[in-house]
Amino acid sequence: MADAVKNVAIFGSTGMTGAVTLPIAAAAGYNVTVLVRDPSRLPADHKASRVVVGDVLNKEDVKKALEGQDAVIIILGTRNDLSPTTMMSEGTRNILEAMKARGIRKVIACMSAFLLWDRARVPPRLVPVTEDHDRMYTVLKESGLDYVAVMPPHIADNHPLTEKYTVTENMLKGRVISKYDLGHFFVKCLSISDWDGKTVGVCGEYS
């Protein structure tokens, strides 16, 4: 099944990690569809095969984005807005519903390593966003789909692509991952089933 993935939809393609995951996926030979609210946020030389303008909170927009897709990568985020939200969990719910309706099985979703921690250790200002990640995680686990729940630590803007990162089930071995290595792992999961149905921490070592 995994080797059949040709067309992949990325939700969150204009965020820090999404913006590098898109070209990595295209370079790996995938036809990438993105759903964006504001297409001007995509770079002029973006590598998407198809751009759907819409909102992840609109079920019809999500259905349209998933036409003809084989797999999905979810990298939804709130940028620097740490106020209470349900955008990530509601958006994920819409995506998973549309996936089921279209018979799409594979989904790689990015949340936060805070979900692997004791909740009391989460910095108070990050609790509201973490709570929505938790709701997103629950929706994912209950979906019955071939999901990979990715829990990165701090995502670094200034470290390179090394492709030498550590992936561990239900735990995290380090404190940082570069946005490029994280994107590389999302794309790698499209072609392997090793982590399907699993929750993984991913981290790198950078000098």
Side-chain angles (χ1 to χ4, degrees):
M1 168 67 199
D3 61 359
V5 173
K6 287 275 183 284
N7 303 315
V8 58
I10 299 179
F11 294 88
S13 62
T14 59
M16 181 179 82
T17 305
V20 298
T21 304
L22 167 52
I24 291 171
Y30 294 100
N31 301 314
V32 182
T33 289
V34 296
L35 176 71
V36 292
R37 280 177 309 202
D38 178 2
S40 71
R41 292 190 68 98
L42 287 167
D45 63 345
H46 74 77
K47 306 297 187 214
S49 309
R50 181 169 162 258
V51 176
V52 177
V53 178
D55 193 313
V56 73
L57 296 177
N58 182 311
K59 292 186 179 190
E60 293 307 313
D61 293 346
V62 173
K63 279 185 197 166
K64 186 175 175 190
L66 288 181
E67 283 172 12
Q69 302 306 301
D70 305 314
V72 173
I73 299 175
I74 304 174
I75 325 171
L76 297 174
T78 59
R79 300 191 195 279
N80 298 320
D81 183 355
L82 299 178
S83 56
T85 181
T86 58
M87 182 276 288
M88 295 176 293
S89 58
E90 286 301 315
T92 298
R93 193 185 306 276
N94 289 344
I95 293 165
L96 301 180
E97 271 180 22
M99 284 180 64
K100 289 177 189 175
R102 295 202 180 281
I104 305 166
R105 297 280 317 158
K106 181 82 171 210
V107 54
I108 298 110
C110 184
M111 279 149 284
S112 159
F114 287 136
L115 298 186
L116 299 173
W117 291 17
D118 175 354
R119 193 55 52 86
R121 290 178 56 205
V122 177
R125 67 192 184 91
L126 298 176
V127 166
V129 170
T130 302
E131 284 175 342
D132 200 43
H133 276 143
D134 206 9
R135 288 186 288 269
M136 177 178 170
Y137 184 38
T138 299
V139 171
L140 199 64
K141 286 188 295 186
E142 292 174 351
S143 69
L145 298 171
D146 299 329
Y147 70 84
V148 184
V150 185
M151 310 286 182
H154 172 68
I155 303 169
D157 212 358
N158 56 342
H159 291 318
L161 173 69
T162 68
E163 300 182 23
K164 295 176 183 154
Y165 40 80
T166 303
V167 185
T168 41
E169 189 175 357
N170 293 323
M171 65 189 303
L172 195 59
K173 291 279 181 77
R175 303 179 67 91
V176 67
I177 181 88
S178 82
K179 62 183 181 180
Y180 301 99
D181 279 341
L182 184 55
H184 183 273
F185 178 65
F186 295 151
V187 173
K188 184 177 178 182
C189 285
L190 294 170
S191 62
I192 59 172
S193 56
D194 305 37
W195 304 109
D196 285 8
K198 296 194 166 87
T199 301
V200 294
V202 55
C203 58
E205 286 190 28
Y206 309 94
S207 50

